[in-house]
Amino acid sequence: VNGIEIYSMKIDSKVTSRFAHNVITSRAVNRGNVAKEVFFDVELPKTAFITNFSMTIDGVTYPGTIKEKEAAKKQYEKAVSRGQTAGLVKASGRKTEKFTVSVNIKAASKVTFELTYEELLKRHFGKYEMFIKVKPKQLVKDFEIEVDIFEPQGIAELEAEGTFITNELQNTIRKTFSGKKGHISFKPTLDQQRTCANCSQTVLDGDFTVRYDVKRTTPDNLQIVNGYFVHFFAPTNLPNLSKNIIFVLDTSGSMYGRELEQTKEAMLKILDDIKEDDFFNFILFDSEISIWKETLIRASPENLDEARKFVRQISAQGLTNLHGGLMRGIDILNAAHEQNLVPKRSASIIIMLTDGQPNVGISNTHEIEEAVKKAIDGRYTLYNLGFGSGVDYGFLERMALENKGLARRIYPDSDAALQLQGFYDEVSNPMLIDVELKYPENEISDLTTNSFKHFYDGSEIVVAGRFVDSNQNHLSVDVRGEGADDALLYTTQQDAEQTAQAFQEQQYIFGEYIERLWAYLTIEQLLEKRITATGEEKENLTAQALALSLMYKFVTPLTSMVVTKPEEDDNEEGIADKPTEVLKYLLSKPGTCVVCAKLLLIVKLISIKPSFITQSYGQTSPVHHTYASPPTWYTSVDGDPHFIISVPQKKDAICFNINENPGMILNLINDPVTGITVNGQLIGDKRENSDAKIQNSYFGKLGIANKHLDVKLTVTPETITIQNGDEKTGFTWLDSVTLQQEGLTLIINRKKNLVLSMGSGVSFVVVLHQVWKKHPLHQDFLGLYTLKSDKLSEQTHGLLGQFFQPIDFTILEIHPGSDPKKPDATMVVKNNELTVTRGWQKDYRRDPKHGVDIPCWFVHDNGAGLIDGVHTDYIVSNLF
C-alpha cells in the first residue's frame, strides 16, 4: 500500500493455565524510491496489558520503555507541543483498543515491529475465550497465527473460528489437542487471502476467536511454582440455586423509541428463560416510580404470561428518579426475605438499566451510592447496565462494585437486545452463594480476592497469592459455599512436586507465568478497588498498583510506555496509555460546534449580538472573528438538516446530514439540570422534487421549554405562542414586542427574528426565513441560534446539545475518493473509526440567499459514529 509492503505478520500466542502471552511481529519494506511513513496498528483486547514494544529499522532497535505516567509527561507534552499525536492507544470498539505507531523509513529500508501483551483468559458459559483481531489491510506474503495451549488439568475441548473465514479458508485452520497440549495454526497463502482470484484486496478482516475448556475431575485445581500459587475453582454438576431477581428499568423520556423497544424485546426473551423456581418483579422509574407487583412473585406460567403483558405496555416519559427506583427494588427484596416469601438458600440479584443520569428525587450520585450501599448491606448483588453514552458510567461502576456486582455498557446498536439478554444469561444460573476460599494466614503474604457473593455455572473463580517463604512447596485450602441443598465444605491440598509433574513439557512455559498471573490479577483488583476508594486508602491502592505495574512492566492506567523513534523522524516520541472504560467517552480538548445551512448545527467560539455577525472562512487559514461583545458559546440550526461542528484547535470542522421525513420531531437540546429543552419539527417542500434522491426538509416548528419556569414557546413561520402554566399569549411575525417576566425576556423583531433569554443566562435567537410565496417548491422555515450555551450544564444532550462539550478528532490515511475533488480519509473520533469525505457545506447565516462555503470532513450515514447512538434515538413523540 502506497509503496509500503508488509511482507510478514505473525501472531504467536502461548497460553499456560489460562494466562496468555501474545507476541505480534510485523515486518515491512519500503519499495518506493523516497522515504515513506510506515504504520503499525493492531487491536488488542481491553482486558490485556501491553508489556513490551520495539521497532527495528535496518538492524537498529528502538525499544519502548514503561514509566510512571508523571515520568512520561515531559515527552508527552513535547510531542503535543509539536502538534503531533502522542497517544498511541485508543479505545476502538466494544472489546478492543487500538495500538498505533508510525515511523519514516528510507527507500528500500526494512522495519520490524514487535508488540507483546498478556491477559488472564476468563471463563464464560463453560469456555475460555481468546480473541485476536485480524486486519492487515493488505495481502501479506507470510501471514500466520499460532496458538499453543498448555493446561495441567488436560484439555477437554478446543475450537477456533473467524468472522472472515470462507469455506476455502476453513481448511487452513489446523487444530490438534491431546492430553495437556493444544495447538492451533492459521497460515493462508497469498491466493487464499484474496477477495477474488485476481483481486489485490485481502479477505482477512475480522475476529479470530479461540475457545477451549479443561477437564474437571475435581471442583478445583491448585498450582504452586517458585513461591507463588494459583487456585482455579469451578465445580460442576451442582444443582442450580433458585434466584430472586428484581429488574429496575429506566422508562424516562430519553428511553423513548428504539432503546425502550430493545429493552422490552430483551425482557420478553428473559421471561422465556426464567425458571419456575425463581421469583421476580419489575420496578419502572421515570419522574415517578411504578411497580408490577407489591412483592416478589414466583415464575409460574400464569405469572409469566401476566408479566409479558406488563412488559409489552411499558412506555417512556418524564425524568430519571434512579434513586427512587433502586430503593423500591431493595425494599421489596428486604420484605421478601424478612417474611420468608423466598427460599432461604437462594441468590438475590438486582439488575438496573438506565440510559441517563439521575435528575429528580435525590440526584446527587454520592448520596445515592451511600443510600444504596446502606440499604443492601452486603446481602444482594447489584448489576448496573448503562445504555449508551449518556450515562455517568463511573457512578454506575462504583455503585455496582460497592455491592459485589459489576457494571456493563450496553452499546446502542441493532443488537442491544442481544447484549442485554447475553448479560442475563451470564448470571442466570447461580450454583453457590457466599463462597470463601480460606488460606493459612501465616503462610500467605499477598492474596487476591478470596470471597465471592455468587458463583455462576460456566464461570470460574481464580485466586492467586505469594508465599511468605518462597521455598514453601505445599498448600492446604478450606473451601466453603452455600449450595441449593446444603453447604459445600471441603479441604484441598497441593504440593510443588505434583505441579512440577504436571509441567514436564517445559517448552510450553514462558518465564515465571504464575508470578505474572498473580501480578496481573492483583493489579486488576487493586485498580477495581481504587474506583470506590477515597483519600489515603485510594493513595495506598494507587501506590501498590503502580509499583507492581512498573515491576512487571505492564501498561496500566497508572503507567505509560514511551516509544522512542529515530532522531530524524518528525515525531520522536509517542506515549502508549491504557484507556479506561469511564474515560473513553470523555474527549480530550475543548472543541466547539456551529449549526448552519440545511440545519447546519454549528457551535463556534465567537461572539455576536444577534443582528450583526462578522466572520470569514478561509479554506486552510484560521477562522477570523470580529467580536461585538465578550466571547460566548454560539450555536445555530438553519435550513435543511445539515450539521457542522467546528473544532477550533484543529482549525477545521466536521459536518453531517440528518435525512428524516417531514413531520418528525427531533430533540436538539435537552438539559436535565436547568430544565431547558429544544425540539424541532421538520417540514418538507410543497411537493416532491423528482430530480432529488433525498428530499429537502427544514424546521417548520420549534418548541423551547423551561420546565423550572413552567414556560413553553412554540414558534412557526406564521405565529409565536408563549404558554405560562395554563395561560397562553399569541403573536405574529408582524408584531414588534418586548415581554419581560421573572427569569425570562422575549423580544420579537418584526418579520426578522425573536430573542428568548432564560434565567440561567442562555439565549435563543429564532430567525424567520421567508421565500417567494409563489415558489413552486420551497416554503418558509426557521433557523435557531443558541447564545451563551456554556450556561447550560455538562449533562446537556440532544443532536445539538451533545456538542456543547469538548470534541477532538484525528485524520489518518487520506486517499482519493469517488469524486476527484473530494478525497476520503479515516477519522478517529469518539473512539470510532469512520470513513469521511472532504467537502464543503453552506453557511447561510450571513448571506441567506447564497451562503458561505465552509470546508469540513463529511461523516456519512446520518452522523453514525459521531453522534451518540443513532439519529433515530433523537426522534421524540411531541414538541414538549
Side-chain angles (χ1 to χ4, degrees), residues 153 215-220:
Q153 288 167 270
K215 293 175 180 171
R216 296 177 199 281
T217 52
T218 57
D220 57 2

Side-chain angles (χ1 to χ4, degrees), residues 465-480:
R466 178 163 63 176
F467 289 110
V468 173
D469 176 2
S470 61
N471 295 316
Q472 181 166 334
N473 58 15
H474 60 87
L475 184 62
S476 178
V477 188
D478 293 328
V479 178
R480 163 171 203 106

Side-chain angles (χ1 to χ4, degrees), residues 688-699:
E688 272 202 14
N689 181 356
S690 55
D691 297 329
K693 279 186 188 171
I694 298 171
Q695 301 301 313
N696 289 325
S697 56
Y698 312 85
F699 278 125

Side-chain angles (χ1 to χ4, degrees), residues 1-7 27-38 104-111:
V1 177
N2 195 26
I4 298 294
E5 180 195 343
I6 299 171
Y7 61 90
R27 293 182 166 87
V29 59
N30 181 358
R31 299 283 186 207
N33 50 18
V34 293
K36 292 272 176 81
E37 190 171 21
V38 184
N104 282 307
I105 62 168
K106 296 172 191 159
S109 282
K110 291 182 176 180
V111 59

Side-chain angles (χ1 to χ4, degrees), residues 455-608:
F455 168 74
Y456 296 104
D457 189 17
S459 69
E460 182 173 66
I461 285 171
V462 184
V463 181
R466 178 163 63 176
F467 289 110
V468 173
D469 176 2
S470 61
N471 295 316
Q472 181 166 334
N473 58 15
H474 60 87
L475 184 62
S476 178
V477 188
D478 293 328
V479 178
R480 163 171 203 106
E482 297 295 329
D485 301 326
D486 49 28
L488 177 76
L489 190 61
Y490 68 91
T491 300
T492 187
Q493 294 182 327
Q494 178 73 336
D495 60 42
E497 206 172 301
Q498 289 169 278
T499 304
Q501 284 173 0
F503 283 106
Q504 284 163 358
E505 300 87 348
Q506 284 297 314
Q507 74 267 26
Y508 274 89
I509 301 175
F510 58 90
E512 306 294 345
Y513 88 97
I514 281 192
E515 184 177 345
R516 293 191 70 78
L517 186 159
W518 164 81
Y520 172 98
L521 197 58
T522 302
I523 293 167
E524 193 177 58
Q525 292 179 1
L526 287 169
L527 293 171
E528 196 174 84
K529 287 175 186 167
R530 197 170 157 261
I531 292 166
T532 57
T534 54
E536 192 177 335
E537 185 194 1
K538 186 165 190 168
E539 287 175 20
N540 290 338
L541 291 166
T542 303
Q544 290 173 58
L546 174 61
L548 284 172
S549 300
L550 291 170
M551 181 186 295
Y552 291 94
K553 295 187 166 45
F554 286 131
V555 177
T556 69
L558 303 175
T559 51
S560 299
M561 184 166 65
V562 182
V563 177
T564 309
K565 301 186 182 182
E567 285 179 15
E568 63 271 17
D569 200 279
D570 290 341
N571 180 9
E572 289 166 21
E573 288 102 7
I575 302 291
D577 282 330
K578 178 87 178 161
T580 62
E581 184 61 32
V582 176
L583 292 175
K584 87 174 207 194
Y585 278 89
L586 300 179
L587 304 158
S588 54
K589 293 181 186 172
T592 51
C593 129
V594 184
V595 194
C596 309
K598 295 182 137 193
L599 179 71
L600 287 173
L601 291 177
I602 304 186
V603 187
K604 200 166 249 309
L605 189 59
I606 65 172
S607 78
I608 59 165

Side-chain angles (χ1 to χ4, degrees), residues 244-484:
N244 317 307
I245 189 160
I246 298 235
F247 298 99
V248 182
L249 305 178
D250 183 344
T251 56
S252 62
S254 57
M255 285 287 289
Y256 178 83
R258 187 186 188 194
E259 285 187 7
L260 187 64
E261 290 312 309
Q262 289 174 321
T263 302
K264 288 159 72 171
E265 181 189 337
M267 286 300 136
L268 289 170
K269 285 180 179 159
I270 286 168
L271 287 171
D272 290 342
D273 292 339
I274 285 184
K275 299 174 180 68
E276 197 162 346
D277 289 340
D278 293 340
F279 288 75
F280 72 109
N281 202 347
F282 290 99
I283 314 290
L284 311 181
F285 65 91
D286 42 62
S287 302
E288 307 296 327
I289 309 303
S290 54
I291 58 174
W292 174 49
K293 298 287 183 185
E294 290 296 327
T295 62
L296 279 169
I297 296 291
R298 183 182 282 279
S300 66
E302 301 76 29
N303 288 336
L304 287 169
D305 280 342
E306 193 183 334
R308 290 183 187 98
K309 288 175 191 164
F310 174 79
V311 167
R312 288 190 186 102
Q313 57 80 42
I314 294 173
S315 60
Q317 61 180 16
L319 299 173
T320 310
N321 187 356
L322 185 149
H323 168 264
L326 265 179
M327 294 304 283
R328 190 65 190 273
I330 297 165
D331 287 346
I332 286 175
L333 263 179
N334 285 343
H337 281 277
E338 284 162 13
Q339 295 164 26
N340 294 318
L341 297 176
V342 295
K344 200 164 189 179
R345 291 183 178 278
S346 58
S348 293
I349 298 167
I350 301 168
I351 296 180
M352 193 271 288
L353 170 78
T354 181
D355 76 333
Q357 299 178 32
N359 54 23
V360 69
I362 295 179
S363 57
N364 180 303
T365 53
H366 183 66
E367 283 181 46
I368 296 172
E369 283 173 49
E370 286 195 336
V372 168
K373 187 178 180 182
K374 187 177 177 184
I376 289 179
D377 195 25
R379 289 169 294 185
Y380 321 126
T381 304
L382 171 65
Y383 295 107
N384 289 330
L385 307 181
F387 206 138
S389 57
V391 295
D392 180 346
Y393 190 81
F395 156 62
L396 297 182
E397 188 173 39
R398 283 193 307 274
M399 189 163 60
L401 291 171
E402 283 173 338
N403 294 287
K404 301 183 180 179
L406 55 84
R408 182 78 59 86
R409 278 196 189 280
I410 302 298
Y411 293 85
D413 294 334
S414 57
D415 69 340
L418 288 174
Q419 294 175 57
L420 287 166
Q421 196 187 349
F423 176 79
Y424 171 78
D425 289 345
E426 284 182 51
V427 299
S428 63
N429 291 310
M431 295 172 85
L432 293 169
I433 55 172
D434 299 326
V435 178
E436 188 172 13
L437 293 81
K438 293 189 79 169
Y439 304 85
E441 285 181 26
N442 58 340
E443 295 176 10
I444 308 297
S445 65
D446 294 284
L447 187 67
T448 61
T449 302
N450 66 321
S451 63
F452 304 85
K453 187 65 185 167
H454 293 154
F455 168 74
Y456 296 104
D457 189 17
S459 69
E460 182 173 66
I461 285 171
V462 184
V463 181
R466 178 163 63 176
F467 289 110
V468 173
D469 176 2
S470 61
N471 295 316
Q472 181 166 334
N473 58 15
H474 60 87
L475 184 62
S476 178
V477 188
D478 293 328
V479 178
R480 163 171 203 106
E482 297 295 329

